[in-house]
Every structure is written in structure tokens, then in C-alpha cells.
Amino acid sequence: MLTAGIDLAAEDANTTVAWIRWTATGAVLEELIVGAGDDQLLWAASAADKAGIDCPLGWPEPFVEFIIAHHRRDLAAPTDPIGRDWRRRLAWRRTDLVTHELTGRLSLSVAADRIAHTAMRCAALLARLAEAGQPVDRSGGGTIVEVYPAASLKQWGLPHRGYKGRQNSGALNDLVDRLTTAAPWLQLGDFEPVCRGSDHATDAVVAALTTRAAAIGRATRPGPADSAAAVTEGWIALPTTPLTSLTTSSARG
């Protein structure tokens, strides 16, 4: 199995894609590109058995309905426009709230934070994949799945805060140490220095690991009550088993 992990940013410079090749006994970081452009991302999403994207795949349905109603000038005025509750209902997707319940981490709001710029790029990439004939299922049932590396790290008991940015290079190195100790079967090879020097690279690797969990049925999936929202809003796949389970004999693929 070949999984791809994409740490997506609005611009190429901070966008990274990692490919991990899986065998019966281990995994090898086969390729890592820092500063990946759209064509490289589309190739990764098409060539891999499954590709995980660290970016919201959609917007909250209530937010979309709110914007459309406002655009058409038929928006019903909120009963409490000064209060925050109604804005919060617009700001986060169902999967963001479920992830918060499970991990204590609340995702950035694709409706109200700068990550919306990245999500616009993601939407264009998904459209290009669909035009090329690749089925795109935002709920994670197809080739593409939404991932959240920091939440995955927390699920696996690894450091998940304070490792981003040049000022936190020590924490990033500690994370890579902890990750390679927890997963001795993961071979970073010549790309290990890149991971130690770039949190985007490390996040792409974690995204590819999470994608493996999703591919072998060891990550969260939307339940019946959430399936309709997941199809339009996207759904974050969270690992449900230890990191070691990704290479056990029962993990087929």
C-alpha cells in the first residue's frame, strides 16, 4: 500500500507532501516534497492508494446557508445578534465538534479563520480531481480523506503542541525522536533531517500515517446521524488504535 499525506497551505512554499510505502513488517518514507505545487499534489492524490489532506474539505452547512441567504437578501435576522452562540453554530462543522469531544482540540474554523484561504485551494484541487474522473468523497470513503495531524499525535500519546515554527525547533526534534521510538518500523531515511527541520514535513508524515489508519479501518468514520453532514462538510479521520497497529499482520493492504 502507498499512502500520501498532504500538509496543505494556501501557498506552495509551506505545502508538503509525503509518500509512505507499507509492507507486511514496516513502512518507508519513499518521497517527501517541501514546497509542493498543485500538479504534484494532484499526482500524489491520484497515484496513492489513499491520500490524506490536512485541511477542511468543506464548510459548515449552516454557514453556507447563512451566506447564501445574506447574498440573496432574504436572511432572517438572528434573535440575538450580539451573542456568540449563534455565530459559533455557523463557525464549526459537525466533525470539528466531534473531534473536540474526542481529543479536546478544537480545529481552526474554516468559516472564520485564515485557514479558509487554504480550504479554497483545497476545494479547487478536489474539483480538478473530480474533473479527471476520480470520485471525491468528502466523508473519507474514497481515495481522499481529511486528517488532522495534531489530533492524531494526541491520539497516539505523542507531543502535539508547541512544535511549530523556527522558535520551537527543539520541540520538533523531540517529537521526531518520540515518533521514531514509538514506530521503530518507520524508516525516514534521508528525509529525517528534513522532518527535523520542518514542522510541515513532519505533519505530512503524520498525515500519511493517519491515512494508513483510515485505509485499514482503524480511524473514525461518521455514524448514521453525521453521514449527511460529512458528505458536504468533510470528516476528520482520527486514529482509533495505537500507532503500532498500523503494521500488525491483521492490517491488510
Side-chain angles (χ1 to χ4, degrees):
M1 177 182 288
L2 179 67
T3 61
I6 298 172
D7 181 52
L8 191 65
E11 305 298 334
D12 293 359
N14 290 327
T15 297
T16 304
V17 56
W19 288 266
I20 293 182
R21 179 75 64 180
W22 298 85
T23 68
T25 57
V28 177
L29 181 55
E30 196 168 83
E31 184 62 83
L32 182 69
I33 298 177
V34 179
D38 286 358
D39 288 343
Q40 291 166 314
L41 299 178
L42 291 169
W43 180 80
S46 301
D49 294 295
K50 200 168 185 70
I53 303 179
D54 177 17
C55 177
L57 301 188
W59 278 262
E61 284 193 19
F63 171 76
V64 173
E65 294 168 358
F66 176 84
I67 294 299
I68 291 174
H70 176 66
H71 178 72
R72 293 176 176 172
R73 301 185 180 183
D74 59 4
L75 176 66
T79 57
D80 185 14
I82 299 178
R84 292 180 295 177
D85 289 344
W86 70 274
R87 296 198 304 273
R88 286 173 174 169
R89 287 193 293 271
L90 300 179
W92 281 281
R93 304 170 297 160
R94 175 60 184 159
T95 188
D96 298 323
L97 300 177
V98 170
T99 298
H100 184 234
E101 292 171 1
L102 293 175
T103 69
R105 292 191 63 97
L106 186 60
S107 313
L108 292 175
S109 168
V110 67
D113 283 314
R114 290 183 64 186
I115 197 172
H117 290 273
T118 306
M120 292 175 193
R121 183 185 186 187
C122 185
L125 290 169
L126 296 181
R128 289 182 63 183
L129 286 171
E131 287 176 355
Q134 183 169 334
V136 175
D137 180 356
R138 296 182 209 167
S139 70
T143 303
I144 304 299
V145 65
E146 182 178 338
V147 297
Y148 183 5
S152 293
L153 289 170
K154 184 171 185 181
Q155 291 292 90
W156 285 325
L158 295 170
H160 59 282
R161 296 182 186 274
Y163 65 90
K164 295 179 182 291
R166 293 181 180 178
Q167 70 279 13
N168 293 314
S169 59
L172 177 60
N173 271 276
D174 178 61
L175 168 57
V176 175
D177 286 341
R178 295 276 299 275
L179 175 61
T180 53
T181 298
W185 39 262
L186 174 62
Q187 300 177 43
L188 298 180
D190 293 340
F191 299 112
E192 183 170 334
V194 183
C195 293
R196 292 184 179 279
S198 168
D199 57 84
H200 300 292
T202 298
D203 275 353
V205 170
V206 175
L209 294 171
T210 306
T211 302
R212 167 71 170 182
I216 61 175
R218 295 180 178 178
T220 54
R221 294 277 295 135
D226 296 321
S227 58
V231 168
T232 57
E233 296 183 346
W235 191 264
I236 298 169
L238 291 173
T240 56
T241 57
L243 188 59
T244 53
S245 71
L246 299 186
T247 60
T248 59
S249 59
S250 60
R252 301 184 183 277

